[in-house]
Amino acid sequence: MKICPKCNGTNPDQAEFCRLCGAKLQYNLTIKCPHCGRLCSLDRKRCPNCGTQLPTINGKPKLKLLSPHSWLGNKKLLIKFGAALVIIAGILSVIGVLSNSTYIFHASAGRKIQISYQDQHHQTIRNEYYDVRTKNRNYANYFGGKHSYWHQQRVFNSTAYYYGTGKQGYRNLWRTRHGKVLARYRLSQRAGARENVTLIKRAPRQTIRLVSSERNQMKFLDQYNDSGTCHYPGRRDLRYYQLRTFTQY
């Protein structure tokens, strides 16, 4: 049985228009039990599930103007849908701000790393250990604004404290009191249009050049585990490298 939402007249289930006023019957209306939530037919005065008296207005059933299967009649679903829209709007806002503002470097102020140098068959030949510390901890000033050092040079400089090679270098790296620093080098991360390069400058004419396999400039700067090809002065047998970060602080 269908109830006309305009005149409240009763109509057969197969009717498309009200036989009393001619209004289109768009909804198959039911009564919802206020106690157990069961949907009941309009000819019932009490819920067949729990026996609760069904709501009425002036002796007539209190009708729902929406189908029980319509998502517009589900308050919980509407709340979830609204929350999802708010979250999506927030994410889009953050993406818009980041895409239209200056990138801020998120890497830690220091990190302990291992650089493994490999031959043409990707077999590790040499392991070197460094404690890398940034020279400029104020990343907002370093990267902020169109006239910042990063926008002009596309270079991020750090100091690399060298602790040696092999097992001895690994032990020195983790010694808090007697870990001996063998040398101090300049480490530069250069982001270019075609390749991203890490340079370890040991002497005026001796620089280890590490060409990263990471093409994205921003990911390259935040990269804690990197790999690629290398150019090690005086060692033609070293063709590739793998950079591994032990810890950041």
Side-chain angles (χ1 to χ4, degrees), residues 61-187:
K62 186 178 180 181
L63 303 177
K64 293 179 63 178
L65 296 181
L66 292 174
S67 169
H69 301 292
S70 172
W71 65 274
L72 292 174
N74 192 327
K75 293 184 179 180
K76 293 184 178 180
L77 185 60
L78 283 176
I79 294 174
K80 292 180 180 179
F81 182 72
L85 288 179
V86 171
I87 294 174
I88 293 174
I91 293 174
L92 292 177
S93 300
V94 171
I95 293 175
V97 170
L98 292 178
S99 61
N100 293 282
S101 61
T102 301
Y103 178 82
I104 297 179
F105 190 48
H106 294 291
S108 301
R111 50 181 173 155
K112 296 181 184 294
I113 66 173
Q114 170 190 284
I115 301 179
S116 300
Y117 297 97
Q118 302 171 342
D119 60 13
Q120 59 181 349
H121 303 293
H122 292 276
Q123 298 295 323
T124 300
I125 297 178
R126 180 183 179 88
N127 288 324
E128 294 182 349
Y129 298 91
Y130 297 89
D131 187 357
V132 179
R133 302 178 188 178
T134 59
K135 288 186 176 181
N136 192 320
R137 291 171 182 256
N138 193 340
Y139 304 130
N141 292 337
Y142 196 90
F143 290 94
K146 295 183 179 180
H147 302 289
S148 66
Y149 184 83
W150 164 251
H151 279 274
Q152 294 179 2
Q153 303 293 332
R154 280 295 190 266
V155 176
F156 191 78
N157 294 318
S158 305
T159 301
Y161 294 90
Y162 177 60
Y163 283 87
T165 63
K167 295 182 179 180
Q168 185 62 38
Y170 181 82
R171 287 194 293 265
N172 286 336
L173 180 67
W174 295 102
R175 287 179 179 174
T176 56
R177 294 184 179 181
H178 304 291
K180 184 178 180 181
V181 178
L182 302 181
R184 185 176 64 178
Y185 303 131
R186 179 181 176 182
L187 187 146

Side-chain angles (χ1 to χ4, degrees), residues 33-78:
C33 176
H35 180 70
C36 67
R38 176 169 178 171
L39 297 176
C40 309
S41 60
L42 296 175
D43 57 345
R44 292 185 175 274
K45 295 183 179 181
R46 292 184 176 275
C47 176
N49 184 45
C50 63
T52 302
Q53 185 175 357
L54 299 176
T56 58
I57 298 177
N58 297 327
K60 296 182 180 180
K62 186 178 180 181
L63 303 177
K64 293 179 63 178
L65 296 181
L66 292 174
S67 169
H69 301 292
S70 172
W71 65 274
L72 292 174
N74 192 327
K75 293 184 179 180
K76 293 184 178 180
L77 185 60
L78 283 176

Side-chain angles (χ1 to χ4, degrees), residues 186-239:
R186 179 181 176 182
L187 187 146
S188 299
Q189 290 175 280
R190 300 177 181 271
R194 296 184 178 180
E195 60 183 16
N196 299 320
V197 181
T198 299
L199 301 176
I200 303 176
K201 191 172 183 180
R202 297 194 169 195
R205 295 183 179 180
Q206 187 181 25
T207 301
I208 301 175
R209 190 169 183 266
L210 310 177
V211 181
S212 174
S213 58
E214 178 58 65
R215 301 304 179 189
N216 187 291
Q217 294 181 357
M218 300 298 102
K219 290 183 179 180
F220 165 68
L221 286 179
D222 275 337
Q223 194 81 1
Y224 286 119
N225 295 288
D226 194 17
S227 63
T229 60
C230 74
H231 302 275
Y232 199 110
R235 295 292 301 270
R236 294 185 178 181
D237 57 328
L238 304 181
R239 300 288 185 85

